[in-house]
Amino acid sequence: MFNDQSSGPIGFSSQILEQRSQGTVSIQTEKVVCQELGCQLVQRNDAASQTVTQNKSMQHVDYDKLAEFLKRVSPLVMDELDEMHGSTALDDYQPSIGEVPSAGAKLLFKFNTLDETDLDKKISCISWSAAGGTLALSYSATYHDTWCDHVSRIKFYNITTENQSAPASSTTLQVNACVTTLAYHPTEPSILAAGLFNGDVLVCNLKEDKTSCPIQLGGHSDSLSVLQWHLKLLNSASTLVTASRDGYIFIHKFIANFTTVELHRRLKIGKEHNPMEKSRPRSVSGRRERADECGLSVTALDFSTKDPTTFVIGTSCGGLYQCSIDHDAPIEALGDRFVTSATDKEIRIYNVMQFISWHTILVEDTSIGLSWVPGNQEIIAAFGAGQTITFYNLETCKSVTNSLLDNSSKDTSCLKFNTKRDLLAIGDTYGSLGVWKLSRNALR
């Protein structure tokens, strides 16, 4: 099918061309357009100034004429300053610029409670009703030269946490002397007791009669300094403890729905039991010593929270006395602390069984009153001279700096907490009343 076959070679010669074909082609691009645009404007201005030094001539001052002028106007200026110091025109002025509110306290309202006929009086004491919805407020003259013959008032205000403006008094009760102490019954919201400067004690049942006090307790011969209700003192009966500057302490027992009262006990802080006090108590006016003193002048009294029959008394001479209602034997250890303040600008912390102060807190202004802060057994509120309400921690013996309360007013005369509605009422010596709303953990 396939056969082998061979062919002869075939050759050809190469040829080189010495002339080559050439052609010329030209290409032209489009014209390139260039343009420059400036986008930054720089402007410069130069100015020069030259100060000129001038020699000021010394002015001649006639110091004799200046002294004559000051001598002439100084009495007038001092009279105006004295008049403004006693004025109440700016008591309700509350500047808001630059104020730093106290932590956990909000001012609801503040207003002047004095009528035109009471401009020479101060708020002497305040008390909240058992339910916390009514505030009773009383007045007293700022100074007594002799025996008190003033006609005073007790005003009642209905206050709620929704109040954003000053409320009007709902009722006014007139009494025949200045009120020095005031206390609502702890469980009966219609029962109110008032202690007067003349030594009388009035007990009012506001549910039955809002214009008078049918029960009048006598016996004291000097102004009332302490008025306290107790329920555990005499077999759960309502008991009213009164103390006066005459040195006597009366314990009254109420029965038959507050229509009948019995004098249960009559105690006295006698001078023969006072080896440490050397000075005699002065009269209320402070001008003469008492000729016939029944007992040491009682200025403060408070009962133990663990033993209702044990109480501590403070006197005008600075003495402290531990007392018991039921017995004269030594009192068993209680572990209670009590705190005192005096005109020496010291707050002292004591134990019931050790009448040597544990700690002493120095204060800037004289404290006329102390109050335990509800819900915190380690903190007390101090008030008195000055417009600041200061809270102190008894463990550290230092002030609670974030809880300073500025009353923005004159000297504080009374202070009362409302544990039912977390309110705080403060009265001052010029008749202004302020009510603050406290947060529940404000001082805890």
Side-chain angles (χ1 to χ4, degrees), residues 63-82:
Y63 289 99
D64 294 334
K65 291 184 178 181
L66 176 61
E68 182 180 355
F69 171 76
L70 295 177
K71 184 178 180 180
R72 185 174 67 255
V73 302
S74 294
L76 301 177
V77 174
M78 296 303 297
D79 290 341
E80 291 295 329
L81 292 176
D82 292 340

Side-chain angles (χ1 to χ4, degrees), residues 88-89 213 241 253 358 432:
T88 60
C213 296
V241 179
K253 180 180 179 181
W358 286 3
S432 294

Side-chain angles (χ1 to χ4, degrees), residues 122-126 138-141 144 148 152-154 175 177-183 193-201 222-227 243-245 284 299 413-414:
K122 66 177 181 179
I123 298 178
S124 57
C125 40
I126 51 182
S138 62
Y139 298 101
S140 174
H144 288 87
C148 178
S152 189
R153 295 180 179 86
I154 301 176
V175 294
C178 291
V179 181
T180 55
T181 55
L182 197 66
L196 307 185
F197 191 93
N198 60 10
D200 292 339
V201 178
D222 210 330
S223 62
L224 268 294
S225 55
V226 177
L227 199 65
S244 170
R245 293 184 180 273
V284 177
T299 58
S413 58
C414 50

Side-chain angles (χ1 to χ4, degrees), residues 270-303:
K271 292 186 178 62
E272 63 274 15
H273 299 148
N274 183 39
M276 297 181 64
E277 292 183 349
K278 297 180 180 180
S279 60
R280 293 176 59 82
R282 292 184 175 273
S283 63
V284 177
S285 63
R287 294 191 173 185
R288 60 180 178 83
E289 293 189 353
R290 303 178 190 270
D292 298 322
E293 182 63 35
C294 298
L296 289 174
S297 179
V298 178
T299 58
L301 183 150
D302 203 7
F303 282 80

Side-chain angles (χ1 to χ4, degrees), residues 87 144 225 353 422:
S87 174
H144 288 87
S225 55
M353 298 305 300
D422 296 322

Side-chain angles (χ1 to χ4, degrees), residues 364-383:
E364 296 182 1
D365 300 317
T366 301
S367 297
I368 66 169
L370 302 173
S371 177
W372 294 101
V373 174
N376 196 325
Q377 299 179 355
E378 305 299 332
I379 298 180
I380 59 171
F383 61 93

Side-chain angles (χ1 to χ4, degrees), residues 109 111-115 118 121-129 134-140 152-159 167 169 171-175 179 181-184 192 194 206 413-414 425-428 430-435:
F109 54 84
F111 64 104
N112 194 296
T113 64
L114 293 177
D115 299 329
D118 299 327
K121 293 182 174 60
K122 66 177 181 179
I123 298 178
S124 57
C125 40
I126 51 182
S127 181
W128 292 96
S129 63
T134 303
L135 178 68
L137 178 150
S138 62
Y139 298 101
S140 174
S152 189
R153 295 180 179 86
I154 301 176
K155 291 184 179 180
F156 300 88
Y157 296 90
N158 295 324
I159 297 177
S169 61
T171 308
T172 300
L173 184 64
Q174 184 172 301
V175 294
V179 181
T181 55
L182 197 66
Y184 261 110
L192 175 71
L206 302 176
S413 58
C414 50
I426 300 176
D428 65 28
Y430 284 86
S432 294
L433 173 68
V435 176

Side-chain angles (χ1 to χ4, degrees), residues 325-392:
I325 293 177
D326 291 341
H327 49 76
D328 298 329
I331 301 173
E332 297 180 359
L334 300 175
D336 280 0
R337 287 182 301 180
F338 67 93
V339 187
T340 66
S341 64
T343 56
D344 57 1
K345 296 185 179 181
E346 291 184 353
I347 296 177
R348 297 185 181 184
I349 307 171
Y350 294 86
N351 184 278
V352 172
M353 298 305 300
Q354 299 176 358
F355 266 56
I356 299 176
S357 62
W358 286 3
H359 302 286
T360 299
I361 302 175
L362 302 179
V363 297
E364 296 182 1
D365 300 317
T366 301
S367 297
I368 66 169
L370 302 173
S371 177
W372 294 101
V373 174
N376 196 325
Q377 299 179 355
E378 305 299 332
I379 298 180
I380 59 171
F383 61 93
Q387 62 185 24
T388 303
I389 312 299
T390 309
F391 298 87
Y392 293 96

